[in-house]
């Protein structure tokens, strides 16, 4: 299966840290360079190596004696780290120094059908960002069954996610995404994120995956 969504997050049989689409300071003042650098070089990188490790463990376990508890733990590790890797790949693409601040065409129309209007979507998305308890993500995705845009408040990197959902656009509300710069003021960070919100990738991904079924 081709993975169109994250072409730079996988190479030569391993998950890899994708190239950031901009410089560390490019999203200032909304996201400062230090926060972005640590988030990318340490947090995202740790999910990449965790996902590779879990895959490696799975292969090793497949060759040995069955150990159900270890297998279950490894699948949980994989879901957590691979979820983290995929979501961070998308997070970097959900922001831009020169954002396309509104979607056009098919995605815009589909968002209006799902949420009433673009403004309705943004209101709900912001609410999700603020209401997630602890660590998680607000996600705009496409339900593969209906090809409709749907919203999810994901806990950690993998919980509360519909199996049919392909994420299009995400906001990371783990404290590591904002605490250095905004401390406990998550709403200020979310407003900064929304000021940098870029629809280009979400639009491309929606057009590539949802349109043929419309
Ligand atoms: Mn993060």
């Amino acid at each position: 299966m081709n993975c169109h969504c994250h072409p730079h997050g996988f190479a030569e049989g391993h998950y890899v840290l994708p190239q950031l689409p901009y410089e560390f300071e490019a999203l200032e003042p909304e996201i400062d360079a230090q926060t972005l650098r640590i988030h990318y070089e340490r947090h995202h990188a740790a999910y990449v190596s965790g996902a590779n490790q879990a895959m490696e463990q799975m292969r090793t376990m497949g060759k040995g004696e069955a150990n159900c508890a270890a297998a279950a733990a490894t699948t949980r590790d994989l879901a957590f780290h691979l979820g983290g890797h995929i979501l961070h790949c998308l997070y970097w693409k959900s922001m831009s120094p020169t954002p396309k601040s509104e979607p056009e065409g098919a995605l815009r129309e589909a968002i209006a059908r799902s949420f009433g209007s673009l403004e309705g979507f943004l209101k709900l998305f912001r609410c999700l960002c603020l209401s997630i308890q602890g660590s998680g993500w607000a996600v705009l995705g496409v339900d593969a069954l209906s090809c409709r845009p749907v919203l999810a408040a994901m806990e950690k990197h993998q919980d509360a996610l519909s199996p049919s959902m392909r994420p299009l656009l995400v906001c990371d509300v783990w404290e590591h995404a904002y605490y250095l710069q905004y401390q406990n003021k998550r709403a200020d960070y979310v407003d900064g994120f929304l000021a940098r919100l870029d629809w280009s990738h979400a639009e491309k991904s929606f057009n590539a995956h949802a349109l043929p079924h419309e």
Side-chain angles (χ1 to χ4, degrees):
M1 189 179 98
N2 286 328
C3 191
H4 302 284
C5 233
H6 319 290
H8 308 301
F10 183 77
E12 294 168 12
H14 294 280
Y15 300 114
V16 294
L17 199 57
Q19 187 139 32
L20 263 191
Y22 32 73
E23 303 294 321
F24 290 122
E25 62 279 0
L27 302 180
E28 288 188 340
E30 286 83 3
I31 309 289
D32 73 42
Q34 188 191 20
T35 299
L36 189 54
R37 177 189 286 274
I38 292 173
H39 198 172
Y40 172 76
E41 287 183 344
R42 301 192 200 165
H43 293 273
H44 188 171
Y47 301 128
V48 171
S49 65
N52 284 324
Q53 243 169 51
M55 288 299 294
E56 186 56 41
Q57 269 166 24
M58 205 79 79
R59 191 164 37 238
T60 305
M61 283 190 300
K63 292 178 184 162
E65 292 286 310
N67 177 333
C68 294
T74 302
T75 57
R76 278 196 298 274
D77 279 351
L78 182 64
F80 178 80
H81 290 289
L82 182 54
H85 177 38
I86 290 170
L87 288 167
H88 283 90
C89 287
L90 261 181
Y91 175 65
W92 311 129
K93 291 180 185 172
S94 298
M95 297 179 287
S96 168
T98 52
K100 177 174 188 178
S101 59
E102 296 190 5
E104 294 174 298
L107 178 56
R108 186 167 186 132
E109 289 163 24
I111 281 176
R113 282 196 296 275
S114 282
F115 310 110
S117 63
L118 177 62
E119 293 66 35
F121 160 75
L122 288 168
K123 183 179 62 186
L124 295 172
F125 188 80
R126 186 174 185 278
C127 282
L128 287 189
C129 289
L130 300 189
S131 62
I132 289 161
Q133 295 181 324
S135 303
W137 296 75
V139 180
L140 169 68
V142 174
D143 161 39
L145 189 61
S146 64
C147 292
R148 287 186 294 198
V150 289
L151 267 172
M154 207 182 307
E155 293 155 25
K156 294 196 284 184
H157 296 140
Q158 75 278 23
D159 295 343
L161 178 65
S162 154
S164 71
M165 195 179 86
R166 169 186 282 274
L168 294 176
L169 183 156
V170 298
C171 181
D172 188 346
V173 298
W174 284 57
E175 285 181 348
H176 67 227
Y178 62 88
Y179 215 86
L180 269 177
Q181 187 179 358
Y182 292 97
Q183 293 80 47
N184 62 327
K185 291 175 269 181
R186 193 196 282 183
D188 291 353
Y189 156 68
V190 171
D191 289 336
F193 170 87
L194 290 174
R196 291 297 188 182
L197 176 59
D198 181 49
W199 286 89
S200 318
H201 176 75
E203 236 177 52
K204 256 184 262 159
S205 182
F206 182 78
N207 291 341
H209 299 284
L211 280 187
H213 309 285
E214 287 268 322

